[in-house]
Amino acid sequence: MSSWPARWRHTPRIVWFGIGAVVVAIVVVAVFALTTGGESPTADLSPSPTDGFDELARPTPIPVETVEPGPSPEQAPPAPQLGESTITSGPDEGATDGTVTVQLVSLRPITTQAYERGEPSGPGLAVTIVVTNVSDGDVSLAADMNLYAGPEGMPGVSAVLDGHNSPFTSDTLAPGHSAERTAVFAAPNAKGTAVAVQVILGPSTFVINATVPEQLAKDKG
């Protein structure tokens, strides 16, 4: 009779493979039980943390309120020269290139409200312009608006989602007709602050220089 070690050495290889597979399975089950506490994994359906912006309701449009701009400043903020020509004026007159006339009709100090990451909150200005078509044909109202404040011309940060914004109601403007637009910028809004409102429309750039008027009592805070 052969000894036990001799019989073990002559055990078929397939038996060894079977024993090894069982051992591996036992180890996997043991590790799974230790890491999950013996419970079956379930999907986590709880909402991910937010930074607070997603919880804000979308902005409610705020009616445009006209606040007459202050007079032209002694030192106008520098604004970049863009377009084929630049027409500069004060708040008491319209800037025109013979095709359209751009008038700054309101410069309202406000507090801007952020609704998405990157949007500004704090002191700001709601800038209202009126564009009049003085030509014989339709003109496009595809316009860009910028604002520069202070003696060094600090650019205002556009607050696109703030409820004070009020875009043009059409894409084109017929001869003799006017259209109004309000754009919001995070910018210094203390009384007397010099600002340059820049409107890029067609081949021309219009720059209207003014000063911030006194803030309305109900808009403070």
Side-chain angles (χ1 to χ4, degrees):
M1 178 180 293
S2 62
S3 65
W4 177 84
R7 292 197 305 270
W8 184 265
R9 287 195 301 270
H10 292 89
T11 302
R13 182 174 297 177
I14 190 170
V15 175
W16 286 110
F17 287 158
I19 294 173
V22 172
V23 171
V24 170
I26 293 173
V27 171
V28 170
V29 171
V31 171
F32 179 81
L34 289 174
T35 56
T36 64
E39 298 178 0
S40 299
T42 56
D44 183 10
L45 301 179
S46 59
S48 59
T50 67
D51 56 11
F53 289 104
D54 294 338
E55 299 174 2
L56 289 176
R58 306 316 286 169
T60 299
I62 299 171
V64 176
E65 185 169 346
T66 301
V67 178
E68 184 177 349
S72 296
E74 294 182 2
Q75 181 180 352
Q81 301 296 307
L82 304 172
E84 296 179 4
S85 61
T86 299
I87 301 96
T88 303
S89 74
D92 298 329
E93 60 209 83
T96 184
D97 64 354
T99 300
V100 296
T101 297
V102 179
Q103 178 84 48
L104 175 65
V105 297
S106 180
L107 190 62
R108 180 183 177 185
I110 61 170
T111 298
T112 64
Q113 174 64 63
Y115 287 88
E116 286 186 348
R117 185 181 290 108
E119 285 270 299
S121 292
L125 292 165
V127 181
T128 303
I129 62 169
V130 170
V131 176
T132 302
N133 184 354
V134 295
S135 72
D136 296 330
D138 290 353
V139 296
S140 170
L141 286 175
D144 290 325
M145 288 181 63
N146 301 307
L147 181 137
Y148 303 91
E152 297 182 357
M154 183 182 73
V157 179
S158 181
V160 177
L161 295 181
D162 187 279
H164 290 88
N165 284 284
S166 179
F168 292 127
T169 56
S170 64
D171 296 330
T172 58
L173 191 61
H177 287 239
S178 298
E180 182 178 280
R181 173 183 172 184
T182 298
V184 176
F185 301 92
N189 63 6
K191 179 182 178 181
T193 300
V195 299
V197 177
Q198 183 187 66
V199 181
I200 306 166
L201 181 60
S204 301
T205 297
F206 306 86
V207 177
I208 302 100
N209 297 312
T211 51
V212 176
E214 185 174 2
Q215 190 169 356
L216 298 179
K218 65 181 179 180
D219 289 329
K220 293 180 180 180

